[in-house]
Amino acid sequence: MRNIIASIEEEYRRYKALAEGAIAQITDADLTAQGPGDSNSIAVILAHLAGNFASRFTDFLTTDGEKPWRDRDREFVPREARRQELLEAWERSWAVLFGALAPLTDDDLLRTVTIRKEALSVHDALHRSLAHTAYHVGQIVYIARASRAGDWRWLSIPPGQSAEYNRRPTREKPQAHAAAVQDRLGDRRS
């Protein structure tokens, strides 16, 4: 049975869609511009998430999640990178994550994995990773929205439209939410 694993996987897909919905609305220069208050650029956050996913989910059940080949500090170095390069690394890292989740069943949730030599149950490791992902995707959306000012297509319920949405809630499931984000962007996707 895969009910819990499938639910976690769908939440990852929701956050992936939110990040991509934000990224689709910004310019290439916005990707590498430093965030507000000297915070990380979106490019840095993408590199960090990509490095984290590749490290944590390569050989997920059998090796420590902090791989010796990962250079975490380098992920936070400001960078000038092309959109295509960033998005290719982003897609590769998500493929590692989803590839690791695909064979898991709910029975695997009680197995043990290690991250930085700390033993964690699979369910603890997945929830920690999902929370980490949500944290950084929130940063991506915030920075992207700040760079677009008034020219922003909402990725969730737009302001002033809650009552209308509540009459016909259609995007409560992660997959439906991801599709709605894509629909809202329309011609802005590149």
Side-chain angles (χ1 to χ4, degrees), residues 41-78:
S41 68
I42 291 174
V44 165
I45 297 168
L46 292 175
H48 171 59
L49 280 173
N52 183 271
F53 288 160
S55 183
R56 295 290 182 268
F57 292 100
T58 297
D59 303 322
F60 177 59
L61 295 175
T62 58
T63 63
D64 192 294
E66 189 63 25
K67 303 297 186 282
W69 44 258
R70 181 182 184 199
D71 187 353
R72 184 182 180 281
D73 291 333
R74 188 165 183 260
E75 295 165 11
F76 291 96
V77 173

Side-chain angles (χ1 to χ4, degrees), residues 4-5 8 12 56-57 60 104 106 108-115 118-132:
I4 298 168
I5 294 291
I8 291 168
Y12 274 114
R56 295 290 182 268
F57 292 100
F60 177 59
L104 297 180
D106 290 351
D108 292 314
L109 292 169
L110 297 178
R111 291 179 68 176
T112 301
V113 294
T114 57
I115 299 174
E118 177 187 353
L120 298 166
S121 66
V122 167
H123 69 82
D124 283 338
L126 291 176
H127 284 106
R128 177 195 277 187
S129 173
L130 189 58
H132 178 251

